[in-house]
């Protein structure tokens, strides 16, 4: 009964993290800003960290099944 919410949360976190990581990598490779008005290095770093944490949180949710 408790596996349903864990699967849903894990999928949401993993999809968000993977999408954010793919978008950030694409923007950095094209030499475009990740966020407007912010240092390119700082914004890419923060987006990468948030994406990695989201993927880790999704993986943690899947271990709770």
């Amino acid at each position: 009964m408790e596996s349903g919410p864990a699967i849903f949360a894990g999928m949401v976190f993993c999809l968000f993290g993977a999408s954010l990581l793919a978008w950030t990598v694409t923007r950095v490779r094209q030499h475009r800003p990740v966020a407007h008005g912010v240092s390119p290095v700082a914004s890419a770093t923060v987006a990468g960290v948030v994406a990695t944490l989201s993927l880790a949180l999704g993986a943690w949710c899947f271990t709770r099944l």
Side-chain angles (χ1 to χ4, degrees):
M1 292 302 258
E2 295 176 1
S3 64
I7 292 170
F8 178 76
M11 283 303 297
V12 168
F13 282 122
C14 286
L15 285 173
F16 174 74
S19 300
L20 181 61
L21 192 60
W23 182 77
T24 303
V25 168
T26 302
R27 298 293 283 188
V28 168
R29 283 189 177 182
Q30 294 175 350
H31 300 289
R32 298 181 134 204
V34 176
H36 293 287
V38 183
S39 167
V41 175
S43 61
T45 302
V46 170
V49 167
V50 169
T52 305
L53 288 176
S54 181
L55 286 170
L57 189 56
W60 179 79
C61 287
F62 286 132
T63 63
R64 298 292 156 194
L65 295 178

